[in-house]
Amino acid sequence: MTEAQIQELFERLGRLVSATKEHHGEGAAWDYTLPNGETHSYIIRGVKSHEAIQDSVFNLLIWIWNTKDYLKARASALGVTKKMVEDAVNSHAGLTVCADLANRLKHGRLDRESRSGLNPYLGNVSFHVPQSAMGALIFRAFEVEMDVNDSSRIELRLPILDDKGDEISDAFECAAHAIKALESIHDKIEHSV
């Protein structure tokens, strides 16, 4: 594994991060049924759908975790033990959570013991749309429609929950911290020689 290949990998991570930060899209819609049986529809135009947001985050989490294997190959090429990479990964809470999430996404479940010990899973995407981002807000019987004219002002959240259902982090924040940790591990490998 060459340094150029590692740099290409970090560039890919940068593109994936950018994709998760791009909020503009065709729109999102969902229904909610109240306890009394009434179903209300919600439509947000001008944003990515929940599924598109999840796909972006899923790809990012999986590539974050794949980066560990690239770094192990780079370490081996430089005569640094792969164990150093594993130990560094296991000492970073964000990376162990990303590992568990990526493995759950790839395999549908955690095949091994949870690295983080939290057995994390992803919650539901939520939008915070400030008034300054709205073009129109329309209320109808059993329906709310919102047109977004500035999607860059929207705040997205994708909570990471532990096995008790308690929120432990946000996927966007966790991914950012994990990438910084991977960069630090990369620097440690390069400076170990």
Side-chain angles (χ1 to χ4, degrees), residues 40-122:
H40 291 249
S41 297
Y42 299 90
I43 303 162
I44 304 178
R45 300 193 192 290
V47 299
K48 280 185 182 177
S49 67
H50 291 85
E51 295 83 8
I53 293 164
Q54 287 174 333
D55 288 347
S56 290
V57 173
F58 292 1
N59 287 332
L60 177 59
L61 290 170
I62 289 169
W63 272 103
I64 286 170
W65 189 232
N66 288 344
T67 301
K68 176 205 58 136
D69 293 330
Y70 282 72
L71 292 175
K72 284 171 58 175
R74 178 65 179 157
S76 183
L78 294 175
V80 178
T81 67
K82 294 178 182 179
K83 184 178 181 324
M84 186 276 286
V85 175
E86 289 289 343
D87 290 346
V89 165
N90 288 332
S91 70
H92 189 275
L95 276 172
T96 60
V97 168
C98 283
D100 288 343
L101 292 171
N103 283 320
R104 187 180 297 275
L105 290 167
K106 289 193 297 188
H107 305 293
R109 65 190 191 299
L110 287 175
D111 285 341
R112 299 180 187 152
E113 186 176 317
S114 169
R115 274 189 189 243
S116 67
L118 300 169
N119 297 302
Y121 63 96
L122 293 166

Side-chain angles (χ1 to χ4, degrees), residues 1-3 6 70-78 186 189-190:
M1 182 68 50
T2 67
E3 177 61 14
I6 296 295
Y70 282 72
L71 292 175
K72 284 171 58 175
R74 178 65 179 157
S76 183
L78 294 175
H186 173 238
I189 292 167
E190 295 301 320

Side-chain angles (χ1 to χ4, degrees), residues 6-187:
I6 296 295
Q7 289 306 316
E8 287 175 15
L9 177 62
F10 278 105
E11 289 169 9
R12 176 179 297 124
L13 288 175
R15 289 189 302 273
L16 290 169
V17 167
S18 294
T20 64
K21 290 181 179 179
E22 176 55 50
H23 301 154
H24 184 74
E26 293 296 315
W30 64 94
D31 292 330
Y32 180 77
T33 302
L34 298 169
N36 67 4
E38 289 180 358
T39 298
H40 291 249
S41 297
Y42 299 90
I43 303 162
I44 304 178
R45 300 193 192 290
V47 299
K48 280 185 182 177
S49 67
H50 291 85
E51 295 83 8
I53 293 164
Q54 287 174 333
D55 288 347
S56 290
V57 173
F58 292 1
N59 287 332
L60 177 59
L61 290 170
I62 289 169
W63 272 103
I64 286 170
W65 189 232
N66 288 344
T67 301
K68 176 205 58 136
D69 293 330
Y70 282 72
L71 292 175
K72 284 171 58 175
R74 178 65 179 157
S76 183
L78 294 175
V80 178
T81 67
K82 294 178 182 179
K83 184 178 181 324
M84 186 276 286
V85 175
E86 289 289 343
D87 290 346
V89 165
N90 288 332
S91 70
H92 189 275
L95 276 172
T96 60
V97 168
C98 283
D100 288 343
L101 292 171
N103 283 320
R104 187 180 297 275
L105 290 167
K106 289 193 297 188
H107 305 293
R109 65 190 191 299
L110 287 175
D111 285 341
R112 299 180 187 152
E113 186 176 317
S114 169
R115 274 189 189 243
S116 67
L118 300 169
N119 297 302
Y121 63 96
L122 293 166
N124 296 316
V125 173
S126 66
F127 298 90
H128 173 75
V129 183
Q131 187 174 354
S132 60
M134 286 186 231
L137 182 60
I138 304 161
F139 294 94
R140 298 181 189 95
F142 307 108
E143 185 178 89
V144 176
E145 182 178 344
M146 180 186 310
D147 289 334
V148 173
N149 65 2
D150 187 356
S151 61
S152 68
R153 294 181 182 265
I154 293 174
E155 295 173 29
L156 298 175
R157 288 203 33 83
L158 181 53
I160 301 172
L161 308 170
D162 66 13
D163 53 4
K164 296 175 193 132
D166 295 327
E167 185 171 338
I168 55 175
S169 186
D170 174 75
F172 300 100
E173 292 172 17
C174 187
H177 292 299
I179 291 170
K180 285 183 182 179
L182 290 168
E183 290 169 342
S184 176
I185 294 168
H186 173 238
D187 288 343

